[in-house]
Amino acid sequence: MADEGPEAATDPGPDVPVTRRTLLAGALGAATAAFARSLAAQMPANPVQGSPAPQSPAAPGLPTSAVGTRAPSVHLARAPVGAVVGESYTPLQDLDGTITPADLHFERHHAGVPAIDPVGYRLLIHGLVDRPVIFTLADLRRFPARSRICFLECSGNGRKGYRAMSPQTTPQQIDGLTSTSEWTGVALATLLAEAGIQKSARWLLAEGGDAALLTRSVPVAKALDDALVAYAQNGEPLRPEQGFPVRLVLPGWEGNMNVKWLRRIKAGDEPFMTREETARYTDALRGDEARQFSFVMDAKSIITFPAYPTVLPGRGWCEVRGIAWSGRGRITGVDVSADGGATWAPATLQQPVLPMAHTRFRYVWQWQGQPATLMSRATDETGYVQPTLATLRSVRGPGTNYHLNNIRGWDVDAAGRVTFAARV
Amino acid sequence: MPPASERGCGFRIGDGRLARLSGGLAVALTVAIACRQVSPVRQSAAAAPARFGFGRIATVDEIRAWDTDVRADGRGLPPDSGTATEGAAIYTARCAACHGADGAHGAVAPAPTLVGRMPDDAFPFATDTTAVPTVGNYWPYATTLYDYIHRAMPFGSPGSLSPHEVYAVAAFILARNGIVPSTAVLSARTLPLVRMPARHRFVPDDRTGGPEVR
């Protein structure tokens, strides 16, 4: 921690407790490094200690460079589970704004990240079309381009906020399988027109070129509405773990349908009932049934500051910050509670609020030094309100495994320590 | 920076639109096409054509090579057949290391357990957090079992099983689940006839937005 800032040698008093709390937090053990980074990002350096003179360079700095890097003191990282079949989580608590840096966009793979040669890449569109067509990457780039800012979220995101919960859980661990990017490519409708999709076509099979050859069925109506065959993310070519060279983007719909390494689209008359839309990615419900084709991600929000393992520097003003999003359109409001949901107050939404995109909310809160429980509750333009954990469990059952968008809470104890409110 | 063949190259034509093309030859060819299509009069946007003529028609052989999916009703199943007896040895050699010796026990995560039925074929997955989904209790179509094995298994060498081997392994898994007898010959004709225990458990999404939580 020594390189994170000057340390107070004596008790700095209630107004400047940052470094004191830093020392106390060291006792938290494994969380120390992340904690220190979190505080360094949120708090100014201690104004009392050190030289009053501004730091001025004694010599010119570094020359220009071909590719930028993050500042040496900035440590941003996904949290990978380290498996070929698995995921890595976006560090939500370390990010501001709404766009996720491409190298921090979450990952979820079913058989690893394939290495696809962009020169040999082909996309086949066939089935119920007048003209089965094959496109190269260069072909796809010739079509009129479209860009769309939207979130992608794994439908399994949030399990650590639904059952087997632990107070020592970060926003990254709870909800890090959501990210927002600007995606650029060609409208799938344009490609389907090129192939001459037939009126009898109701569903598309989208197939990826990974070792799982992952397949999902996509309704033609969605394909013609706003689906994108994307080759760029945040202005640069897709990264391999995001589907290089080409992926499907279905705004607002669960992550696995946004098929990466897209290589084939087959138009058919019925859904294809693939493994990933039957044995997986279906939602067990009360009544001994499973909801299928649950495409849309319902409205959700999470406070990303303050959150575990942050320790508040002392009583006083604290801006509560977080993100909200809905697969059904725009977020119209986020309410924040500091008393565990007994009372709520509206947060400020950062404009512009885009449909189906992360929306930043902020709420200025005055902590009185008492235990508190912070919560956020999102509402979208359809009037849907993010439900409580008790409501969602009551409606769907504790064993359901996807679309876990219940309200999240953070407990603040009298010492300012913040932990996940791991209770129903 | 990606290779030039992937980046394409931009250039301006008559009305200032930026076209993206690949490779020098394609540039030359397409300039001629583009110039013919672009009006010399400056205008905000030409009407988009119904078709751009990019890409090429796929051949029958190309489609056949790519079109390997098997649908719920059995369309796409190839000729050949297999039995559970034949599948046992293939399972032991190619599947058991991840899914357990008998498919019911010893699966190594994230490989799922393949074998297991619920008493009375119940479906308690929403309420019983210990319930383990398997092919026997959480898979609606036997046909798509073929599709998935052929497509993605064995995990370390997907696509390496012949149609006979896929039929045989599917037969083994279904027989271990008590869904077909071990002597059953599974083929393009018989696989679609297999009735899966969880077939009727899947219902369409009824969420529509609005205030009701479903």
Side-chain angles (χ1 to χ4, degrees):
Chain A
M1 281 190 296
D3 61 345
E4 296 289 346
E7 294 183 354
T10 56
D11 188 342
D15 293 327
V16 280
V18 173
T19 54
R20 177 71 168 180
R21 296 296 184 196
T22 301
L23 292 172
L24 289 173
L28 290 175
T32 300
F35 162 79
R37 287 199 302 276
S38 178
L39 267 194
Q42 299 289 344
M43 305 296 172
N46 187 334
V48 175
Q49 301 296 317
S51 167
Q55 295 182 351
S56 301
L62 298 171
T64 58
S65 56
V67 178
T69 59
R70 296 192 170 104
S73 61
V74 174
H75 305 285
L76 297 174
R78 290 187 292 226
V81 299
V84 172
V85 181
E87 57 274 345
S88 71
Y89 296 76
T90 293
L92 300 179
Q93 68 280 348
D94 297 331
L95 300 178
D96 295 293
T98 56
I99 300 292
T100 310
D103 61 348
L104 298 173
H105 192 289
F106 83 88
E107 301 173 80
R108 170 69 171 105
H109 315 306
H110 294 74
V113 180
I116 296 179
D117 168 20
V119 177
Y121 170 80
R122 299 289 184 274
L123 172 64
L124 168 65
I125 300 182
H126 71 118
L128 297 177
V129 298
D130 295 335
R131 293 173 297 279
V133 285
I134 286 183
F135 300 113
T136 64
L137 180 57
D139 291 333
L140 295 177
R141 283 182 169 276
R142 291 176 70 186
F143 284 101
R146 296 284 182 275
S147 289
R148 175 72 186 257
I149 295 173
C150 63
F151 75 83
L152 288 186
E153 183 184 16
C154 176
S155 65
N157 199 27
R159 283 192 196 126
K160 293 184 183 71
Y162 194 73
R163 58 173 172 263
M165 296 177 285
S166 162
Q168 286 74 41
T169 313
T170 66
Q172 179 172 19
Q173 292 168 325
I174 294 169
D175 275 328
L177 299 181
T178 185
S179 305
T180 284
S181 294
E182 181 196 47
W183 303 98
T184 301
V186 50
L188 179 50
T190 300
L191 301 182
L192 294 177
E194 199 73 17
I197 189 165
Q198 297 172 358
K199 283 192 168 56
S200 59
R202 290 290 178 271
W203 291 80
L204 306 178
L205 182 74
E207 181 177 80
D210 58 338
L213 298 181
L214 184 139
T215 45
R216 284 291 318 245
S217 301
V218 180
V220 167
K222 177 69 172 179
L224 296 178
D225 179 16
D226 62 357
L228 203 59
V229 173
Y231 43 74
Q233 177 187 13
N234 295 346
E236 63 176 330
L238 295 183
R239 289 171 182 246
E241 64 268 36
Q242 295 305 325
F244 179 82
V246 170
R247 80 174 304 165
L248 192 57
V249 172
L250 303 176
W253 285 23
E254 63 182 24
N256 70 84
M257 301 195 63
N258 297 256
V259 175
K260 294 181 284 193
W261 317 292
L262 182 68
R263 72 172 201 177
R264 185 166 72 101
I265 293 172
K266 179 180 184 177
D269 51 356
E270 296 177 333
F272 291 74
M273 299 293 179
T274 73
R275 185 249 195 184
E276 311 300 352
E277 57 205 22
T278 53
R280 294 292 183 277
Y281 300 114
T282 52
D283 314 330
L285 300 178
R286 295 184 187 277
D288 295 348
E289 57 190 20
R291 175 179 287 150
Q292 193 178 18
F293 304 126
S294 46
F295 303 132
V296 179
M297 300 305 296
D298 280 324
K300 185 191 269 189
S301 68
I302 182 170
I303 291 169
T304 56
F305 181 85
Y308 179 80
T310 294
V311 180
L312 295 179
R315 67 184 63 188
W317 295 107
C318 170
E319 185 173 73
V320 176
R321 301 164 181 159
I323 50 173
W325 62 100
S326 169
R328 297 191 190 277
R330 287 179 174 79
I331 290 293
T332 54
V334 177
D335 295 321
V336 170
S337 173
D339 53 13
T343 60
W344 297 86
T348 300
L349 302 185
Q350 174 66 58
Q351 301 294 326
V353 175
L354 301 178
M356 305 173 200
H358 283 176
T359 298
R360 179 65 59 173
F361 67 87
R362 303 183 180 96
Y363 175 80
V364 177
W365 171 55
Q366 190 167 32
W367 184 48
Q368 305 288 3
Q370 307 297 321
T373 297
L374 294 165
M375 292 177 162
S376 62
R377 183 180 66 188
T379 302
D380 73 16
E381 63 181 69
T382 74
Y384 180 89
V385 180
Q386 187 179 4
T388 64
L389 177 57
T391 295
L392 205 58
R393 282 190 174 188
S394 170
V395 170
R396 295 187 192 159
T400 199
N401 215 24
Y402 304 99
H403 295 271
L404 307 169
N405 66 321
N406 47 285
I407 291 171
R408 287 89 168 86
W410 299 100
D411 291 327
V412 183
D413 72 9
R417 290 184 293 248
V418 184
T419 53
F420 182 59
R423 58 180 178 274
V424 181
Chain B
M1 180 174 290
S5 57
E6 174 205 326
R7 289 198 312 275
C9 53
F11 67 102
R12 292 197 175 272
I13 52 180
D15 63 354
R17 290 187 302 171
L18 191 66
R20 282 189 172 277
L21 302 164
S22 68
L25 181 60
V27 169
L29 285 173
T30 314
V31 164
I33 298 168
C35 289
R36 200 175 66 232
Q37 292 174 338
V38 172
S39 164
V41 179
R42 178 177 289 271
Q43 55 189 42
S44 58
R51 291 167 55 200
F52 290 86
F54 303 154
R56 63 172 175 80
I57 299 296
T59 67
V60 171
D61 285 345
E62 284 173 326
I63 295 172
R64 187 179 298 128
W66 289 58
D67 186 14
T68 59
D69 58 89
V70 173
R71 303 191 221 189
D73 61 7
R75 276 180 286 177
L77 282 170
D80 226 311
S81 66
T83 67
T85 305
E86 296 164 339
I90 301 165
Y91 178 89
T92 298
R94 308 296 304 276
C95 317
C98 296
H99 294 285
D102 62 356
H105 311 89
V108 181
T113 298
L114 301 176
V115 174
R117 295 275 287 274
M118 293 288 171
D120 301 321
D121 283 330
F123 199 80
F125 299 97
T127 51
D128 180 358
T129 57
T130 66
V132 177
T134 70
V135 173
N137 63 32
Y138 205 115
W139 196 295
Y141 300 98
T143 45
T144 59
L145 182 61
Y146 184 102
D147 178 86
Y148 185 69
I149 296 170
H150 171 65
R151 166 179 309 284
M153 292 290 124
F155 184 78
S157 52
S160 63
L161 297 179
S162 69
H164 162 68
E165 291 173 314
V166 176
Y167 278 120
V169 167
F172 175 80
I173 295 167
L174 294 171
R176 289 291 306 167
N177 276 293
I179 296 169
V180 302
S182 60
T183 55
V185 179
L186 294 187
S187 66
R189 186 182 66 80
T190 59
L191 198 55
L193 303 176
V194 175
R195 180 82 181 176
M196 299 296 284
R199 169 70 186 87
H200 61 296
R201 299 295 187 181
F202 294 85
V203 297
D205 189 6
D206 63 347
R207 299 171 304 148
T208 57
E212 186 181 357
V213 176
R214 294 179 175 173

